[in-house]
Amino acid sequence: MKPDVKAFFDDATNTISYVVRDPQGSSCAIIDSVLDFDYASGRTDTRSADAIIAYVQAEGLTVEWLLESHVHADHLSAAPYIQERVGGKIGIGDRIKVVQDTFGKVFNEGTEFQRDGSQFDKLFQEGDSFMIGQLRGDVLHTPGHTPACLTYVIGDAAFVGDTLFMPDFGTARCDFPGGSSETLYQSIQKILALPEETRIFVGHDYKAPGRDEYAWETTVGEQKARNIHVGEGKDRDQFVKMRDERDATLAMPKLIIPSLQVNMRAGQMPPADEKGDVFLKVPVNKL
Ligand SMILES: [Fe+2]
């Protein structure tokens, strides 16, 4: 089955959110939504999420799922905001527990911060499947960028989150806590083992030298032939060396500190204080 895929590009964080629709009905899933956040002022904005909600409502869609490919470090998830308005179950990888444990320590969270993934409606494991109306989705565990990363294979389309990017840009970084370039290489082999004509939808795009337009859709065949990091038969050792050297030069994403604190809670802000005010922490010299 060939799902209808509508993409929403967020300029501020280079994130692509997707609405994936059962072609034979009105069911859909929303993948990797964005809650706009201005770090300088500490203000959230729902413009990006509202655009998705408006689309879903205009098309008369029923939201079955709000899927996260992983705990994002560069944008806040709008899943709870969207869920409140149009429903859907929030799903993420079962290994979220590892991520919650790691960042629960980094942010010195108290025992009220559960590290069991219970903030989410569904925890997926490798090999799980789920339905969007008549459309079937299958779950691949594809860690490396983070321990909990999933690829959702829905009909002929694979939503790969931060694993592969467009062929001319390459792959995702592996230097966050719990990341591993060797693991990412193995995960990418799983994605490349899908049928060549499988459509691949990436989680981010940053253009690439010589390319003027943003792009987010490619295929397994194109990735195998042309991905600058893993295509053309590049082997594991070449990839690991390239990835580790490159990661050592990368700055932290601008929104990593707020993103982790919110996304490890399934997109909820930390609990309000006794006056009802909400604060995020900045751990000094810890990341
Ligand atoms: Fe990411």
Side-chain angles (χ1 to χ4, degrees), residues 166-283:
M166 291 302 283
D168 57 1
F169 194 84
T171 57
R173 66 194 295 174
C174 298
D175 59 329
F176 297 151
S180 157
S181 52
E182 291 182 26
T183 306
L184 182 63
Y185 186 83
Q186 288 163 12
S187 294
I188 286 172
Q189 301 314 306
K190 270 195 218 174
I191 297 169
L192 297 182
L194 294 167
E196 297 246 325
E197 63 280 9
T198 305
R199 292 183 287 164
I200 286 185
F201 293 91
V202 300
H204 293 289
D205 188 60
Y206 307 91
K207 298 181 182 167
R211 171 152 62 83
D212 295 331
E213 301 289 329
Y214 289 112
W216 44 78
E217 180 178 350
T218 172
T219 64
V220 167
E222 280 175 12
Q223 292 283 16
K224 274 196 205 163
R226 293 210 300 275
N227 187 290
I228 57 165
H229 293 170
V230 291
E232 301 168 314
K234 285 196 188 60
D235 68 20
R236 196 187 76 139
D237 291 350
Q238 281 172 292
F239 173 76
V240 167
K241 183 171 184 300
M242 177 285 306
R243 190 67 266 172
D244 292 349
E245 284 175 4
R246 187 182 159 98
D247 287 348
T249 70
L250 299 176
M252 282 290 136
K254 281 201 282 286
L255 296 181
I256 186 168
I257 286 173
S259 297
L260 292 173
Q261 289 174 83
V262 170
N263 296 339
M264 71 183 187
R265 295 180 161 88
Q268 302 282 356
M269 290 288 164
D273 71 3
E274 62 284 357
K275 284 200 224 147
D277 294 324
V278 173
F279 293 89
L280 292 162
K281 297 176 182 173
V282 177

Side-chain angles (χ1 to χ4, degrees), residues 70-74 145-146 149 162 176 204:
H70 62 294
V71 172
H72 308 279
D74 49 27
H145 171 64
T146 79
C149 287
D162 297 4
F176 297 151
H204 293 289

